[in-house]
Structures are given as C-alpha cells and as structure tokens.
Amino acid sequence: VDSRYVGDAEPGVATGTAAIIVDSAGENCIVVCPGANMKMVPEDVDAAAELMQKTKVVVMQNEIPLPVTQRALEVAKKAGACTIWNIAPCPAEAKDYPPEMFQLTDVLCVNESEAQSMGGVDGLLAKGVGVCLITLGKDGCKVVTKDGQQHLPGVVVPAGKVVDTTGAGDAFTGAFALFKGKGLGDAAAAEAACKIAALTVQKKGTQSSYPTHAEAVEAGAWPSGA
C-alpha cells in the first residue's frame, strides 16, 4: 500500500472509527465516527493527482466531504481512469448532488433503496451515469445501462455459514474495481465480485474476512482472464 499521501489531521482530531454490532444471523449495525476523514479538502486530491493520472480505476465513496469526492472524480476522469462512485452512506440530500458528479461517474454502485432515494435508476442514467451497479445482497446484483439491464444471481451461502456480513459491500466494490482494472467487462467483473463478497460473509471481521488471491482461486471465485 502506497502511503505517501496519508497525512495527519490537526491536533485533537481522532482517526475515523466504526463500532460494529453483529447479531446471531450475521447481520450488522454500524455506528461511524468519521473523525479525520471529514477534515480532508480538495487540495489533498490535487497533491495526489500525479499518482491518479497513472491508474486505471479510481473508487470514490461517501465517508469524506463531498467537494473532495467531486475533485477526485474530476481528476480521475481527466486522467482517463474508470471512475467508480459507491454512494455509501447515502444521505437524503444525495438526490440533490451536483449533476456534474454523476456525469463524471462511469459506474455508480448503490443498493436498491439508495437508487430509489435518488430518483430511481432511470433518473440516475439520465443524469449521465454510465453504468448503475445495483447491489441486491444475497440475490446478487444488477448491471443497468441505457441499453438494458442484466441480473447476476448471488452465490448461495447456507444460513449456517453466514458469520458476519460486515464489509461484504466494500469487498464487492473493491473486487469489481480490481477486475475492471484487469480488463474484464462490467458484467464479468460484477459476477466475480459477487463470488468474492460471498466468501467474506463466512468469516468474522471486515478486512480480516477478505480472501487472498490463493483463497479466491481455490474457492473458484477468481475469474479466468483476470
């Protein structure tokens, strides 16, 4: 991990943390204290622009100030990278986000309720989003464009093997981004990402539940050609 652009916030500002509660069925409830995350400014993106200009894929999410996310979209798009925006958490005001942010987004990753709160998939595509990637939990996901949609079924994980769903969405987004960077199409990348996410819910924790390359290959979750 290249940590050159990880900096310190001013004194008295804590690192962002999250308290996670998991029930007996593996479902979770998360309380986030953003801390230093919300102290980022667009200039932090500018400082890392040289690195972003060399990358194939840039992923944005909603745990930093919106102007920082917008600047990241602008820099990544100008560099020719595939821009993926995972709008999570999704506040009520997301439907009023600047339209140019959606126009800069190649792939928008949201769940069904988040998409609906922002005017529905058709509305998001009309704003200029290239692809809407709608996550459906255990039911997989949908890849939606102006030309139609494709449902990719989820991997069936027996209820007794679901240990902790925390981080499954992040694993899905990260795996999708990885496979896009390796040249896979949207549907192939999303299908593989569903398989990776299904592996994570069978272990405790977030990062600790993410499979290694060898584990993904052994489980048949690593796509051919990646």
Side-chain angles (χ1 to χ4, degrees):
V1 176
D2 188 339
S3 61
R4 281 178 293 165
Y5 302 103
V6 178
D8 296 323
E10 62 263 32
V13 178
T15 298
T17 57
I20 305 170
I21 300 172
V22 182
D23 66 18
S24 59
E27 296 299 325
N28 65 76
C29 178
I30 305 174
V31 177
V32 176
C33 299
N37 291 8
M38 299 307 291
K39 296 299 182 179
M40 289 188 69
V41 294
E43 288 74 19
D44 293 323
V45 177
D46 295 335
E50 181 180 0
L51 177 63
M52 294 175 69
Q53 289 165 2
K54 300 175 183 178
T55 192
K56 296 178 180 178
V57 180
V58 177
V59 180
M60 277 68 59
Q61 41 72 50
N62 265 25
E63 293 186 15
I64 56 177
L66 194 66
V68 182
T69 299
Q70 182 167 354
R71 183 61 180 147
L73 282 166
E74 292 167 350
V75 172
K77 193 69 172 180
K78 184 177 181 179
C82 172
T83 55
I84 301 174
W85 186 12
N86 179 20
I87 301 188
C90 182
E93 60 268 24
K95 65 180 185 300
D96 298 318
Y97 280 169
E100 55 267 27
M101 293 186 71
F102 296 99
Q103 295 164 11
L104 293 167
T105 302
D106 292 317
V107 181
L108 186 74
C109 185
V110 291
N111 61 33
E112 284 188 301
S113 61
E114 291 166 345
Q116 194 59 39
S117 72
M118 291 185 286
V121 176
D122 290 341
L124 290 169
L125 292 173
K127 290 182 179 181
V129 171
V131 177
C132 278
L133 193 57
I134 311 298
T135 57
L136 306 171
K138 62 182 178 60
D139 294 321
C141 68
K142 289 191 291 187
V143 179
V144 189
T145 68
K146 290 182 178 180
D147 297 324
Q149 62 177 279
Q150 182 177 359
H151 176 232
L152 302 168
V155 176
V156 178
V157 179
K161 289 191 175 183
V162 177
V163 176
D164 186 353
T165 59
T166 311
D170 290 335
F172 173 89
T173 302
F176 177 83
L178 170 65
F179 297 135
K180 281 289 291 180
K182 288 183 173 294
L184 270 64
D186 295 319
E191 183 177 25
C194 285
K195 295 178 180 178
I196 297 295
L199 293 178
T200 71
V201 304
Q202 300 178 58
K203 293 182 180 180
K204 288 184 178 180
T206 49
Q207 293 182 29
S208 60
S209 73
Y210 298 163
T212 63
H213 173 261
E215 289 171 337
V217 170
E218 183 180 357
W222 196 267
S224 59

